[in-house]
Amino acid sequence: ASVKSLLERLADKKYVVCEGRGPAHLFSATMDREAFVGQQLQLLADSNFGGSLAPLLLTLVDSVKLNRKDRETIRKIIDKIE
């Protein structure tokens, strides 16, 4: 696939917007990386875990060996939201 067709597909899905300026086109993202990743994780949870993020996260944690730094980071995140 060409870059043009890839950008057109992303525009169709509302991930980018295009501003045409003569022969040149300027494509810009419609959301930041964090919002996109969150949206994709929610879609994954919806399609595989009945919309619940907890089983998705537990599956991920069970399948990946977390190092000490990652475990500490996760603990801090949990403490912050409690």
Side-chain angles (χ1 to χ4, degrees):
S2 70
V3 172
K4 181 179 182 248
S5 63
L6 173 61
L7 288 169
E8 287 171 350
R9 286 197 310 267
L10 290 172
D12 289 344
K13 294 178 181 182
K14 309 285 191 245
Y15 293 132
V16 298
V17 292
C18 175
E19 295 178 35
R21 296 182 182 163
H25 292 77
L26 176 64
F27 288 87
S28 302
T30 58
M31 64 179 73
D32 63 20
R33 183 180 188 276
E34 187 174 319
F36 174 77
V37 170
Q39 179 188 54
Q40 294 302 303
L41 287 173
Q42 186 61 60
L43 289 171
L44 184 62
D46 291 345
S47 63
N48 294 283
F49 298 97
S52 179
L53 290 174
L56 169 66
L57 295 173
L58 290 172
T59 300
L60 178 62
V61 168
D62 285 343
S63 65
V64 175
K65 180 148 177 69
L66 297 172
N67 60 37
R68 179 175 292 189
K69 182 180 177 186
D70 289 338
R71 290 191 307 269
E72 289 172 3
T73 301
I74 291 170
R75 282 188 192 102
K76 287 178 184 177
I77 292 168
I78 291 170
D79 289 343
K80 181 180 165 185
I81 61 175
E82 288 185 332

